[in-house]
Amino acid sequence: GNLEQRVADPSGWILCKAGDTYVGWYPLQEYEWIEEKESSGQAVNTVIGRPEATDRSKVMSIWRLRSHALQNGYVVEVRSKAEVGSFEEFSRRLRPNIPKSHLLPGKVSVQYRSLGGDMMRFAFPDVRTVNGRSIHLEKYRLFEGPFLNAEVGSEKLTMTYKKTRRVLDFKRLTITE
């Protein structure tokens, strides 16, 4: 889709560039890239044994990353051009930052030092620390920002733009403006 570059780097990082946004994605287990054909947002072969009737001129290739490992995870680092400069500089700085993980059943953990210098540690099911301080996700909103807001479990999403406000209530299936 929108990626200008996608590099499966020998360091293990998948390095991506989309405009002035850079993404490093580190799969913790073996994976494979699978090329699939898609047209106008609908897969060409969605029914087993019978291709869907689609306009073949709009068929495009998309790539999916697939891992068959049961104990798995990913580390994702996102930066902007304003933060790190060029995509090449982002890639150079990210390559040596290799996450340390233990992926044994019942003993899953990941430790990672971000480009900003923060040491993050996550262990299943409930250990989350940043620079040694515990993070309690129940204290945070599901969405919190200038445009989208939602409390965890509320089943309501409030969208705001300038003086316009829309509330999607998924419990009552209503839209209020």
Side-chain angles (χ1 to χ4, degrees):
N2 299 336
L3 293 179
E4 295 166 37
Q5 288 184 293
R6 174 180 54 100
V7 178
D9 194 78
S11 66
W13 283 100
I14 298 167
L15 304 165
C16 304
K17 179 182 187 300
D20 289 345
T21 302
Y22 312 141
V23 179
W25 185 17
Y26 194 96
L28 299 175
Q29 293 275 27
E30 295 284 324
Y31 64 88
E32 62 180 328
W33 284 108
I34 300 170
E35 183 179 19
E36 297 177 352
K37 302 293 182 186
E38 198 170 89
S39 69
S40 303
Q42 182 175 7
V44 175
N45 292 310
T46 57
V47 179
I48 295 174
R50 192 184 80 216
E52 292 292 311
T54 58
D55 179 354
R56 298 281 178 187
S57 67
K58 295 181 182 176
V59 173
M60 62 182 198
S61 289
I62 60 171
W63 290 91
R64 296 193 194 275
L65 182 135
R66 173 68 195 256
S67 176
H68 297 279
L70 297 178
Q71 303 292 324
N72 207 343
Y74 308 93
V75 170
V76 178
E77 176 101 38
V78 180
R79 294 286 185 238
S80 68
K81 181 178 184 177
E83 290 175 287
V84 296
S86 69
F87 179 65
E88 292 72 24
E89 177 64 11
F90 170 75
S91 301
R92 185 190 68 73
R93 289 181 53 198
L94 196 57
R95 282 184 188 105
N97 276 21
I98 304 301
K100 294 178 176 76
S101 62
H102 300 281
L103 301 171
L104 302 172
K107 198 169 187 158
V108 175
S109 68
V110 178
Q111 184 173 307
Y112 176 69
R113 182 171 303 279
S114 73
L115 289 182
D118 292 311
M119 178 55 76
M120 298 184 287
R121 186 170 182 280
F122 303 92
F124 184 79
D126 56 7
V127 174
R128 294 170 192 90
T129 65
V130 175
N131 298 325
R133 290 192 335 246
S134 290
I135 303 296
H136 300 281
L137 296 180
E138 63 275 3
K139 294 180 180 178
Y140 294 92
R141 292 176 150 202
L142 184 62
F143 290 99
E144 184 173 18
F147 306 110
L148 296 175
N149 283 279
E151 297 291 337
V152 174
S154 70
E155 297 185 38
K156 285 185 185 179
L157 176 66
T158 302
M159 298 181 288
T160 308
Y161 181 69
K162 295 184 181 177
K163 293 184 180 188
T164 304
R165 185 172 180 242
R166 176 178 279 183
V167 178
L168 305 179
D169 187 327
F170 295 97
K171 213 179 269 185
R172 295 188 183 129
L173 299 177
T174 60
I175 299 173
T176 309
E177 295 199 33

